[in-house]
Amino acid sequence: MSSQQEKQLFSERLKQALTRAGYPISPTFLSTEFNHRYDGQAISVQSANNWLLAKAIPNQDKLAVLSIWLNVSNQWLRFGDQDATHATQAMLEKSNDADLDFFLKFKKLPHSQKQILKQLLDEFMKH
């Protein structure tokens, strides 16, 4: 599959996710709402327009924010795979802005601190 085909299919899935969530297909709306949820550098209306017009695909951290916000799997949004596990779907359905905030803070941590948190979570999951 060509890069342009991948961009086109991503754009179609993004529009589909926006529509299913009851949101307009608007680069201004998309950039504004995305930037409210993203802790990194804000995206421009032009960047959002490029996603909608199949000119670009966002990087992984932006895809993660989009997927949580739009309640779709990251894998589906990027690649269109329908085989998302039930656990992933259940997690996405229960996600909220607090989960997204935690995820974005976690991503900013150094590797050593991420490992400590992972070990702590693994320990909690045993009980």
Side-chain angles (χ1 to χ4, degrees):
M1 180 180 308
S2 74
S3 175
Q4 185 53 46
Q5 286 173 316
E6 287 184 31
K7 291 174 188 173
Q8 183 62 44
L9 292 171
F10 165 78
S11 173
E12 291 170 11
R13 288 187 297 274
L14 177 59
K15 291 174 191 175
Q16 182 181 4
L18 285 165
T19 300
R20 281 184 185 166
Y23 299 127
I25 307 299
S26 158
T28 303
F29 176 85
L30 178 57
S31 64
T32 300
E33 291 300 314
F34 177 86
N35 289 333
H36 285 307
R37 293 163 173 82
Y38 186 60
D39 203 25
Q41 183 176 348
I43 65 162
S44 65
V45 173
Q46 184 63 42
S47 292
N49 196 47
N50 287 343
W51 296 348
L52 293 170
L53 294 178
K55 294 181 179 180
I57 295 175
N59 60 26
Q60 287 298 320
D61 62 329
K62 291 178 177 72
L63 278 168
V65 171
L66 286 169
S67 67
I68 291 170
W69 170 41
L70 298 172
N71 198 26
V72 296
S73 78
N74 193 333
Q75 184 77 5
W76 175 82
L77 187 58
R78 175 61 180 90
F79 300 106
D81 294 345
Q82 297 295 334
D83 296 332
T85 65
H86 179 69
T88 301
Q89 286 303 107
M91 185 270 309
L92 286 172
E93 289 170 6
K94 294 177 184 177
S95 296
N96 57 34
D97 286 340
D99 296 332
L100 179 58
D101 182 55
F102 179 82
F103 170 75
L104 293 171
K105 287 177 181 175
F106 179 81
K107 290 214 19 121
K108 289 183 177 183
L109 293 174
H111 180 72
S112 60
Q113 292 177 345
K114 286 180 182 177
Q115 288 304 111
I116 292 169
L117 280 176
K118 287 179 185 176
Q119 290 171 354
L120 183 59
L121 286 172
D122 287 343
E123 192 61 35
F124 283 141
M125 297 308 293
K126 291 179 184 176
H127 302 287

